[in-house]
């Protein structure tokens, strides 16, 4: 399938940080926020998720399909660590990467598209989501 077919099949919508998403799970235990949430997230060629962070929850990224994904993270807003989500373990790609609470992050597909999943615990809330100013970059 191509990106447009995946977006349609999964019923995805635009995400404020860029890309496409659909929430697939929200644990009803733990109040309205829940103990955890899960989404599918897709970036197309040339798209990059804007620098953002989830202030009070860790996020686990899971690779599913398409090209590898470059995931950039910065705990201090200065030094950036690059992770690559993908299936080629021999090349250093990993099927799962953890971004800690309050850590800046940005992602980009390294090909035509990448489909990943993100699990957030405690559950994701836009109230705890912060986008960096439009031209902000770590270390800038």
């Amino acid at each position: 399938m191509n990106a447009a077919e995946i977006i349609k099949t999964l019923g995805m919508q635009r995400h404020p940080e860029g890309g496409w998403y659909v929430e697939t799970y929200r644990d009803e235990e733990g109040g309205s926020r829940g103990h955890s949430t899960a989404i599918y997230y897709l970036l197309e060629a040339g798209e990059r998720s804007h620098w953002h962070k989830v202030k009070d929850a860790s996020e686990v990224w899971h690779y599913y399909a398409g090209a590898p994904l470059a995931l950039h993270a910065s705990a201090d807003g200065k030094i950036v660590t690059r992770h690559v989500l993908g299936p080629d373990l021999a090349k250093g790609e990993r099927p799962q990467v953890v971004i800690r609470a309050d850590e800046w992050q940005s992602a980009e597909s390294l090909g035509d598209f990448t489909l990943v999943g993100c699990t957030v615990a405690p559950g994701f809330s836009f109230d705890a989501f912060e986008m960096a100013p439009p031209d902000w970059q770590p270390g800038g």
Side-chain angles (χ1 to χ4, degrees), residues 17-99:
E17 76 192 41
W20 298 86
Y21 84 107
V22 61
E23 186 173 282
T24 58
Y25 178 73
R26 182 171 292 272
D27 182 355
E28 296 301 325
E29 298 296 320
S32 62
R33 186 169 178 179
H35 291 300
S36 67
T37 52
I39 65 168
Y40 290 130
Y41 182 69
L42 185 141
L43 283 171
E44 296 178 85
E47 280 189 309
R48 182 180 180 115
S49 68
H50 187 75
W51 282 101
H52 67 283
K53 61 182 170 179
V54 181
K55 295 184 241 179
D56 64 351
S58 293
E59 184 169 8
V60 182
W61 289 68
H62 313 267
Y63 172 81
Y64 293 138
L69 180 101
L71 179 58
H72 310 279
S74 179
D76 62 3
K78 296 176 185 165
I79 299 170
V80 176
T81 303
R82 182 177 187 261
H83 308 277
V84 179
L85 281 132
D88 195 338
L89 302 179
K91 284 187 178 177
E93 297 172 4
R94 295 295 178 257
Q96 184 181 89
V97 173
V98 176
I99 302 295

Side-chain angles (χ1 to χ4, degrees), residues 90-114:
K91 284 187 178 177
E93 297 172 4
R94 295 295 178 257
Q96 184 181 89
V97 173
V98 176
I99 302 295
R100 303 271 179 219
D102 208 36
E103 189 171 8
W104 290 105
Q105 59 181 299
S106 178
E108 60 187 317
S109 177
L110 298 177
D112 290 338
F113 75 89
T114 307

